[in-house]
Amino acid sequence: ARTGWVRCGVKDYESVADHSWRMAMLPLLFADMPDVDHIRCMKIGLVHDLAEAIVGDITPHCGVSKDQKSRLESEAMHKICATVGESSIGKEILGCWNEYEAGLTREAKLMKDLDKFEMILQAEDYEEQQGIDLSQFFESTKGKIKDEVVSSWEQELRLRRETRLEKSRTAPTVLETQIEKQTETATETATETETATATATTTATATKTATATDAGTDEAGSKRKR
C-alpha cells in the first residue's frame, strides 16, 4: 500500500504496483521528444519503487532517516536482483534503479518529476471522489516540478482543483440543501391546504346559496297556491 494514502484515511487507495504501472505508462507521452529516451524512462518507472516489495513504502513520516532509507532500499534491490543471478537482466534492473536514485540523467530527472505529478494527480482524484482534504500533497510538491511539459500539466491540474474547490465553497451544504427541501415541501403542503380550504369554502357558499334559492322558490310556490 502507498503509506501516504493510508495515513490520510483514503479508501480504496492505489497500491505501489498501481503507481508503478502508471509511472511506466506516462513516458509514452514523450515518445516523440528527441531529447528523451522514453523506453529507458518506462523501465525506470517499472523498477523505481521495486525495493518497496521488501521494505515497504517508507515516507518522511515513518521516522526513518534518508541514509537509513537509502541503505534499506539498496539492500532490498540487491536481494531482488540476486534472484536472477549474474544475468544482464539483474544488472539492468539495478542500473535503472540506481539511475533514478541518483537523479542526474535527463530520464531520471523527468521520472522524478512524473513521480510528483502522478502523486498529485491521484490526490485530486481522491479529493473529488471521496471528499477529503489532501492539500498537504499539493503543498509538498509546489515549485518542485522542473520539466517544462510536466510543469504545464501540473499548472492545469492545480487550476482544475482550485476551480472545483471554489465551486464547492459556494455550493450549498448538505444541511442547507435538506433545509431548503423541507421548506419547499412545507410551502407546497401549506399551498395545497390553502387551496383545499378555499375550495371547501367555495363549495359551502355555493351550497348555502343553492339551499336559500330552493327555499325561496318553495315559499313562492306556497303563496301562489293560497
Side-chain angles (χ1 to χ4, degrees):
R2 297 267 279 166
T3 304
W5 307 138
V6 176
R7 188 175 56 82
C8 291
V10 173
K11 298 176 182 178
D12 300 322
Y13 46 79
E14 66 170 349
S15 65
V16 175
D18 293 328
H19 166 67
S20 296
W21 177 84
R22 208 173 196 179
M23 284 287 287
M25 293 296 291
L26 284 171
L28 285 172
L29 299 173
F30 293 82
D32 293 334
M33 298 185 66
D35 66 325
V36 177
D37 182 347
H38 74 284
I39 300 298
R40 182 67 175 179
C41 287
M42 291 175 73
K43 292 178 180 180
I44 291 174
L46 283 172
V47 306
H48 80 289
D49 278 342
L50 189 56
E52 293 178 15
I54 294 177
V55 301
D57 184 16
I58 301 173
T59 73
H61 299 277
C62 295
V64 178
S65 68
K66 288 185 178 181
D67 288 342
Q68 186 178 6
K69 177 177 182 293
S70 179
R71 178 179 59 77
L72 289 172
E73 291 182 342
S74 178
E75 291 174 355
M77 285 302 299
H78 280 84
K79 184 176 181 179
I80 291 171
C81 292
T83 61
V84 293
E86 295 297 323
S87 71
S88 60
I89 297 174
K91 293 178 180 178
E92 183 174 20
I93 291 174
L94 186 59
C96 286
W97 185 82
N98 282 327
E99 182 178 344
Y100 178 79
E101 287 297 298
L104 298 177
T105 65
R106 169 75 171 101
E107 288 70 27
K109 291 176 180 178
L110 174 60
M111 293 309 292
K112 283 186 175 292
D113 279 347
L114 287 175
D115 188 52
K116 297 179 182 70
F117 174 74
E118 194 280 335
M119 181 178 70
I120 59 175
L121 180 63
Q122 191 69 67
E124 165 64 8
D125 287 343
Y126 289 145
E127 280 194 337
E128 186 172 10
Q129 295 168 8
Q130 302 183 25
I132 56 180
D133 181 13
L134 298 174
S135 299
Q136 59 183 287
F137 295 94
F138 290 90
E139 290 299 323
S140 67
T141 54
K142 187 177 293 185
K144 294 185 178 180
I145 294 177
K146 305 302 181 183
D147 181 83
E148 185 177 346
V149 174
V150 184
S151 180
S152 69
W153 297 348
E154 176 197 11
Q155 296 309 312
E156 183 178 346
L157 178 63
R158 289 181 183 274
L159 179 60
R160 188 180 83 181
R161 177 175 182 263
E162 185 54 40
T163 300
R164 175 180 59 79
L165 292 176
E166 183 61 31
K167 287 182 179 179
S168 68
R169 284 192 286 266
T170 57
T173 64
V174 174
L175 178 59
E176 289 171 340
T177 301
Q178 290 176 343
I179 292 174
E180 183 178 353
K181 287 182 178 180
Q182 290 173 354
T183 301
E184 289 176 355
T185 301
T187 301
E188 290 174 0
T189 302
T191 301
E192 291 173 358
T193 301
E194 289 175 1
T195 302
T197 302
T199 301
T201 301
T202 302
T203 302
T205 301
T207 301
K208 288 180 180 180
T209 301
T211 301
T213 301
D214 290 342
T217 302
D218 291 343
E219 183 178 352
S222 297
K223 287 181 179 179
R224 283 197 298 268
K225 288 180 181 180
R226 295 193 194 121

